[in-house]
Structures are given as structure tokens and as C-alpha cells.
């Protein structure tokens, strides 16, 4: 591809409420907006959305074709959405189970995926080091730990080349979770500050000549043209990287927004940190059915997140869902149940954010060369690493590089059920997940509820 192409990025969103729902990662950093688009223009590539997907797309395209004139269009500011608000895990997790990836795509595609996604974690760290990005990157691996015999049985059967089983003593030597009776450890995970990563990446792109327009809403995506804040923007290629903020007119019923919420403590004392151990900043996840995830930050806090907020009818986005007091309180109790040493710990931050969930739990990369239109996303909360890999693969595709057989390429993600069936089913699934954990604690046996729900959610 020659110099006739451009990239543009864009993100839909409501105005931010200052001082409310601010993530730990952003902290007290004041946001100064970049310029908005102010007239008609033309680029080689137009990328819509200044989250990780859009930013990494521009970065990799510049590696393959430095001459490209690329623009990114963002409705708010860089790092406003999930890319700046997530749990800060650069993990090797994939939204679809390994068994299903192999069944639907074959063993070669699965092996390619595992090799590429584990390498991507290191590549992110290497790029950050090369450019001296201060993103608090620490590759300490990840522990999936069990607190009862049912969880222990579940994780012990999941050992493979990437996951090593640790007994009670080994687990508590790594991280002092008194109730943990065993764990699975993988070295393929790094903790980082996602907001710092997004901001650092954007600044690097500007050094490479990429133009980033904030407060610039894309209203229409047409063949070789966008409409942004009412202005006409020509482009040979457009990349839609809007994830949960994708308007329905662009995505139909192919994805829905679901919310993850997070809490973070005040910085912990050195004596508490020594008691908890975890000097390598290993990330943590309990082997329960309700998704939880945590990391210890570079400034000695614990930041923990989880799912469970009710899905809104007709896939509405609602900032109120990011401030669910009941859910935030539950997360704080979860922290203290893992670490009774923190019974007196104070929590300083509460926040949330929306991620995109496709009906088949599939990430996707679709590129129509004739129309010059590409779409990427569908990470279901595993996007810190996966967005890097999918964006790199897209850049290779656009640049006529040979790409490996990967399961997300040209993925058909399917449609969600119509409302209100979708509303009832998704929220029933959330409640069933909570009930499944309660059932296992009560009976000491694998959950019958989970065995019935898992096939229905099509993961």
C-alpha cells in the first residue's frame, strides 16, 4: 500500500462527570483535550476510536508503512473508555474456551493463537521499555486460586503446558491468601497501568506523525469517506475500533455492552505488603464462576474488579451502571475475604466501564478490501493483550503481509436474540453465576446450575 491511505479512530460516549467514577489509573491527572476536527480533510487511513484497538492499529501500520497519513477520531479523549479503565492485566486469556477454538478452527489455529498471544505480552513490555513509557509494567504471571475443594478439583484438571498446579504451601508462599488451598500459575501475564499505556501510546503515535482528533464524533461510515462532527473526511481505509461504544446502526445485534466494576484501596503499609508477600506483582483470580480479577499496583494498592451489574434493556449505555454501590461494596468484601490482613484497609477509588460481548464470545477482525472498511473488537474483557494482537494482524493484512491462521480473522460472531428475550436471558445468566457459586459452597459439589447455564451462553 502506498501513500494514498489514511487511518481514523473514533469513540462514542456521554460527557464525563468530573470527579465522579474516576479510575485509579487516571487518578488526579487533569485532561487537556487535543484539537477537534475543524474542517473537511482527507487521509490515507481513518481509525474510529482511540482505545487500544485503534491506537495499536495505527502503531503497527506505521511500522509496516511509515509513509501513511493516519488520523484517529475520538468522541471523548484517549483512554476514556475500557482501555483506560480496565483491570490492567496483559494476560494470555482468550474469551472462547480452548476446546471450542480447537473444535471450530482446528489445532493449527489454536497453536498459532497461543504462541501469538503469549508473545504479545512480551512485545508490549519491550515496546514500553524501548520508548521509556512509565506504565508500571511487571510480568509476574497470574494465579487462579481455589478456596474450597470444588474449586480445587476444577483447576487441578486444567493443568497444561502453560499452567502449573501449586499446592497450598506453594500458593501461600507466592501470595499469602490464608484461605487458598491450591492454585494454577501461569507466567504469561503482566500487570500494568492501562491509562498510562494508552496515553503513552498516543503520544508516541503523534511523534510518528499520526493525527489524533478528540471530541470528534464519527456520525457516518461510508465507502472511502467518514462524516465527523458534520465534516467530510475522505479515506482509502477506515477502521472501526469502537467496542462497547459502537452504535447499533453499525453493529446491529452482534454485540452488547456489559459492565465490569472495580475498587482500589489506599496505598498499603510496607508491613502489610510484606505479610501479603507477592513481591512479583502476580495477578489474582479466584476459581469461582463469577469473574473476579485483581492486581497489586506499583504504589502498593490492591485493585480488584468483577462482573455482575445488570444488563440494560436494548443495550443502553448508562454511567449509573458504573456506580453500582451494591456491587462496589461486594468487591470490597471480596478483597477482605481474600486478605483478612486488610480488615481495616480503606478504599479510595470506585469506578466501572463497559466492555463488548458478542453472542458467540468471539473476538473478530473483518476487512473488506473493496470497500476499504475494517472492524475489530469483541474481546469480552481480555482486551489489553488481545487488542494488540488483533490490531497487529489487521495492520499486517492491510500491508499485504502474510498472516498466520488465527481464530479471530474473518470471524462470524452471530446475532443476539431480540429484546426482551436478550434482556431476560443475559440477566438470568448473571444471577445464575452468583447462584452457582453459592450452590457449590453449600453442597460441596460442582454446580448443577453452572452445568446447565454454560452450554446456553455459548462460550
Amino acid at each position: 500500500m502506498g501513500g494514498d491511505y489514511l487511518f481514523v479512530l473514533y469513540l462514542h460516549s456521554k460527557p464525563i462527570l468530573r470527579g465522579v467514577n474516576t479510575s485509579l489509573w487516571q487518578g488526579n491527572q487533569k485532561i487537556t483535550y487535543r484539537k477537534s476536527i475543524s474542517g473537511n480533510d482527507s487521509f490515507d487511513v481513518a481509525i474510529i476510536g482511540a482505545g487500544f484497538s485503534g491506537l495499536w492499529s495505527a502503531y503497527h501500520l506505521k511500522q509496516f508503512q511509515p509513509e501513511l497519513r493516519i488520523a484517529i477520531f475520538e468522541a471523548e479523549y484517549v483512554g476514556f473508555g475500557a482501555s483506560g479503565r480496565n483491570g490492567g492485566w496483559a494476560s494470555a486469556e482468550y474469551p472462547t474456551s480452548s476446546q471450542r477454538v480447537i473444535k471450530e478452527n482446528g489445532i493449527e489455529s489454536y497453536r498459532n493463537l497461543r504462541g501469538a498471544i503469549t508473545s504479545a505480552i512480551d512485545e508490549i513490555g519491550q515496546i514500553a521499555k524501548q520508548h521509556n513509557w512509565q506504565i508500571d509494567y511487571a510480568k509476574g504471571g497470574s494465579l487462579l486460586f481455589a478456596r474450597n475443594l470444588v474449586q480445587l478439583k476444577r483447576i487441578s484438571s486444567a493443568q497444561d503446558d502453560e499452567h502449573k498446579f501449586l499446592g497450598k504451601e506453594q500458593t501461600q508462599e507466592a501470595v499469602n491468601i490464608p484461605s487458598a488451598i491450591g492454585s494454577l500459575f501461569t507466567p504469561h501475564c503482566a500487570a500494568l497501568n492501562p491509562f498510562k499505556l494508552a496515553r503513552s501510546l498516543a503520544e508516541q503515535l503523534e511523534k510518528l506523525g499520526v493525527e489524533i482528533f478528540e471530541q470528534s464524533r464519527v456520525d457516518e461510515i461510508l465507502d472511502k469517506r467518514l462524516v465527523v462532527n458534520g465534516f467530510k473526511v475522505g479515506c482509502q481505509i477506515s477502521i472501526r475500533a469502537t467496542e462497547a461504544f459502537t452504535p447499533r446502526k453499525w453493529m446491529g445485534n452482534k454485540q452488547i455492552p456489559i459492565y465490569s466494576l472495580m475498587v482500589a484501596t489506599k496505598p498499603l503499609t510496607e508491613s502489610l505488603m510484606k505479610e501479603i508477600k507477592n513481591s512479583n506483582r502476580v495477578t489474582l483470580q479466584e476459581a469461582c464462576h463469577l469473574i473476579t480479577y485483581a492486581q497489586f499496583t506499583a504504589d502498593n494498592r490492591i485493585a480488584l474488579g468483577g462482573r455482575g451489574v445488570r444488563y440494560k434493556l436494548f443495550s443502553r449505555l448508562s454511567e449509573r451502571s458504573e456506580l453500582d454501590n451494591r456491587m462496589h461494596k461486594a468487591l470490597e468484601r471480596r478483597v477482605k475475604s481474600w486478605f483478612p490482613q486488610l480488615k481495616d484497609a480503606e478504599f479510595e477509588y470506585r469506578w466501572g466501564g463497559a466492555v463488548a460481548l458478542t453472542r458467540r464470545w468471539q473476538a473478530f477482525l473483518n476487512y473488506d478490501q473493496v470497500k476499504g472498511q475494517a472492524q475489530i473488537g469483541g474481546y469480552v474483557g481480555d482486551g489489553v493483550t488481545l487488542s494488540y494482537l488483533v490490531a497487529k494482524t489487521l495492520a499486517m493484512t492491510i500491508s499485504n503481509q502474510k498472516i498466520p491462521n488465527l481464530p479471530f480473522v474473518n470471524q462470524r460472531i452471530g446475532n443476539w436474540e431480540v429484546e426482551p428475550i436478550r434482556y431476560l436471558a443475559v440477566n438470568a445468566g448473571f444471577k445464575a453465576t452468583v447462584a452457582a457459586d453459592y450452590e457449590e459452597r453449600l453442597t460441596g459439589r460442582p454446580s448443577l446450575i453452572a452445568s446447565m447455564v454454560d452450554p446456553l451462553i455459548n462460550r
Side-chain angles (χ1 to χ4, degrees):
M1 182 180 301
D4 298 329
Y5 299 88
L6 153 79
F7 282 94
V8 184
L9 272 55
Y10 151 84
L11 193 84
H12 273 73
S13 151
K14 296 180 179 179
I16 187 170
L17 299 177
R18 302 298 177 190
V20 178
N21 193 22
T22 300
S23 74
L24 162 68
W25 316 122
Q26 181 177 336
N28 296 322
Q29 181 173 338
K30 184 179 179 180
I31 300 299
T32 301
Y33 284 92
R34 292 172 168 85
K35 65 180 180 182
S36 302
I37 190 167
S38 57
N40 298 339
D41 209 334
S42 182
F43 301 89
D44 297 321
V45 185
I47 305 172
I48 307 166
F52 286 145
S53 291
L55 296 170
W56 282 124
S57 293
Y59 179 86
H60 289 299
L61 279 165
K62 276 293 189 180
Q63 306 309 302
F64 293 119
Q65 300 183 73
E67 73 281 3
L68 289 177
R69 188 178 178 218
I70 300 175
I72 299 174
F73 296 106
E74 164 60 49
E76 255 293 336
Y77 57 82
V78 170
F80 172 82
S83 293
R85 308 177 66 78
N86 59 69
W89 283 39
S91 77
E93 294 186 9
Y94 194 72
T96 309
S97 69
S98 299
Q99 293 85 354
R100 187 169 164 213
V101 170
I102 293 170
K103 180 180 178 181
E104 295 186 357
N105 302 278
I107 190 66
E108 178 192 14
S109 182
Y110 171 75
R111 288 173 177 165
N112 290 343
L113 173 67
R114 297 315 308 160
I117 201 167
T118 53
S119 295
I121 299 168
D122 293 327
E123 290 174 25
I124 293 171
Q126 290 161 3
I127 292 170
K129 184 177 181 180
Q130 174 188 350
H131 298 298
N132 196 30
W133 297 346
Q134 303 303 307
I135 63 171
D136 302 334
Y137 180 97
K139 191 183 178 188
S142 186
L143 274 182
L144 174 67
F145 63 90
R147 299 174 68 198
N148 59 53
L149 293 176
V150 180
Q151 293 178 352
L152 187 68
K153 182 178 180 180
R154 186 157 53 240
I155 67 172
S156 63
S157 64
Q159 300 176 69
D160 56 28
D161 293 342
E162 295 182 24
H163 298 84
K164 178 183 178 181
F165 181 78
L166 303 180
K168 179 177 179 178
E169 290 185 5
Q170 291 173 299
T171 299
Q172 295 188 2
E173 183 59 33
V175 184
N176 186 14
I177 304 171
S179 56
I181 58 175
S183 64
L184 277 185
F185 173 76
T186 175
H188 302 304
C189 189
L192 51 78
N193 182 316
F195 187 77
K196 288 182 178 179
L197 174 57
R199 304 292 288 189
S200 297
L201 180 52
E203 290 172 6
Q204 181 65 31
L205 289 176
E206 289 174 318
K207 293 176 183 177
L208 296 174
V210 175
E211 296 182 62
I212 301 176
F213 297 94
E214 296 182 333
Q215 294 184 306
S216 298
R217 183 180 300 276
V218 175
D219 302 308
E220 298 289 344
I221 302 176
L222 307 168
D223 291 355
K224 314 293 185 181
R225 181 164 58 90
L226 303 180
V227 178
V228 189
N229 286 359
F231 298 110
K232 296 178 182 179
V233 176
C235 57
Q236 293 301 310
I237 296 175
S238 66
I239 299 175
R240 182 180 57 71
T242 46
E243 269 291 84
F245 295 93
T246 306
R248 188 174 178 181
K249 64 181 179 180
W250 294 348
M251 197 70 181
N253 287 330
K254 293 186 181 298
Q255 68 179 32
I256 62 172
I258 59 172
Y259 285 90
S260 280
L261 269 58
M262 293 197 71
V263 297
T265 65
K266 290 184 176 180
L268 304 176
T269 64
E270 289 296 331
S271 60
L272 275 174
M273 291 302 297
K274 287 180 180 179
E275 187 177 350
I276 291 169
K277 302 176 181 177
N278 197 14
S279 59
N280 293 325
R281 289 181 60 201
V282 62
T283 61
L284 305 170
Q285 184 174 8
E286 185 177 348
C288 49
H289 295 285
L290 184 68
I291 294 175
T292 56
Y293 47 91
Q295 68 149 291
F296 281 88
T297 66
D299 61 347
N300 293 343
R301 305 170 188 261
I302 182 170
L304 180 138
R307 305 271 173 83
V309 176
R310 188 176 65 180
Y311 160 77
K312 300 294 184 184
L313 190 66
F314 298 112
S315 298
R316 293 196 307 271
L317 288 170
S318 169
E319 189 172 24
R320 184 174 297 177
S321 294
E322 302 174 12
L323 297 168
D324 188 312
N325 184 63
R326 174 193 58 84
M327 185 66 185
H328 279 130
K329 283 288 188 184
L331 291 172
E332 291 173 3
R333 290 194 298 271
R334 175 84 57 161
V335 170
K336 294 182 179 183
S337 72
W338 288 2
F339 298 103
Q341 308 95 311
L342 303 182
K343 63 183 185 299
D344 297 322
E346 296 182 61
F347 289 83
E348 187 172 1
Y349 287 91
R350 288 179 166 192
W351 75 97
V355 298
L357 175 63
T358 58
R359 182 61 182 88
R360 301 180 63 247
W361 293 73
Q362 296 280 8
F364 59 87
L365 183 170
N366 296 303
Y367 174 49
D368 186 325
Q369 188 173 10
V370 175
K371 292 185 176 181
Q373 295 179 357
Q375 302 87 34
I376 55 178
Y379 313 125
V380 199
D382 296 322
V384 177
T385 311
L386 195 52
S387 61
Y388 173 94
L389 175 59
V390 175
K392 180 180 180 180
T393 307
L394 174 61
M396 293 173 68
T397 302
I398 291 172
S399 303
N400 297 316
Q401 303 286 315
K402 183 179 180 180
I403 63 170
N405 175 12
L406 291 164
F408 52 78
V409 177
N410 297 321
Q411 177 61 239
R412 294 183 178 181
I413 58 179
N415 287 309
W416 280 93
E417 290 77 6
V418 297
E419 297 286 20
I421 296 174
R422 179 164 77 236
Y423 170 83
L424 296 171
V426 172
N427 287 315
F430 281 143
K431 290 183 179 297
T433 300
V434 175
D437 286 326
Y438 178 77
E439 177 194 357
E440 290 187 346
R441 290 194 300 270
L442 189 67
T443 66
R445 296 189 297 271
S447 170
L448 292 175
I449 296 173
S451 68
M452 291 185 290
V453 171
D454 286 349
L456 296 177
I457 66 174
N458 205 24
R459 186 173 183 183

